[in-house]
Amino acid sequence: LSINGPVAVVGNLSFTVNGTITETAAAATLSAASLTTSSVGGTTLASANTVSTLSATNATSGNIVVNNTAGLSVSAASGAPGGSISVTAATGTLTVNAGNVATSSGDITLSADDMTVTGTINAGSGANTLTLNNATGSGDLAGGTTNGRTLAFASTQNVNATCMGRHHYWVHHLFTSPSAGVTAKRRLT
């Protein structure tokens, strides 16, 4: 499925294809309350999309790439074996709900101003990368069940947490008991 121009709906938008889903031009944008995709071979929605909720599944091969202009709630994302998942909320909060964001061995990269994780992020043998990209504000990474500051990953997971802003103090509190392979970075300005 090639998306060549803007697609806007008030409610839910769903694409189920036995092939790839791709935005082929910068003007090819999606706008919807919720977006559900199911592909074989990959989903690449790299334009300036505006959706509130995302559920994406990909099988066989390829990656899932979704860029969104505002906050985004991910209810589920499942990648193909070896395929990666990359979700960016250009502004606002990226929320991983009770559903899973998972691959068997591909990397998972989540990027937003703020992030709330109540679901599971599992890259199998790949790496999880969580990036707060608000350089001027006070981004927050919240998750887990204890005071919104604890994230749990399997001890075999590689986790990279990067803070790009001046006022992000969550890094100190991010991992109360970091396991092997967990790193947290903060750029000082």
Side-chain angles (χ1 to χ4, degrees), residues 5-104:
V7 176
V9 298
V10 174
N12 305 325
L13 183 59
S14 180
F15 299 118
T16 301
V17 296
N18 189 18
T20 61
I21 301 171
T22 306
E23 290 173 326
T24 58
T29 60
L30 303 176
S31 177
S34 71
L35 173 64
T36 302
T37 67
S38 177
S39 62
V40 175
T43 296
T44 303
L45 304 174
S47 296
N49 300 296
T50 307
V51 297
S52 298
T53 303
L54 171 70
S55 177
T57 303
N58 181 50
T60 307
S61 65
N63 304 319
I64 296 173
V65 177
V66 178
N67 289 335
N68 205 55
T69 60
L72 179 62
S73 177
V74 180
S75 59
S78 177
S84 64
I85 297 174
S86 175
V87 179
T88 299
T91 62
T93 300
L94 177 63
T95 302
V96 177
N97 288 324
N100 294 328
V101 175
T103 67
S104 62

Side-chain angles (χ1 to χ4, degrees), residues 72 78 82 84 125 142 146 168 176:
L72 179 62
S78 177
S84 64
S125 61
T146 57
H168 299 289
T176 57

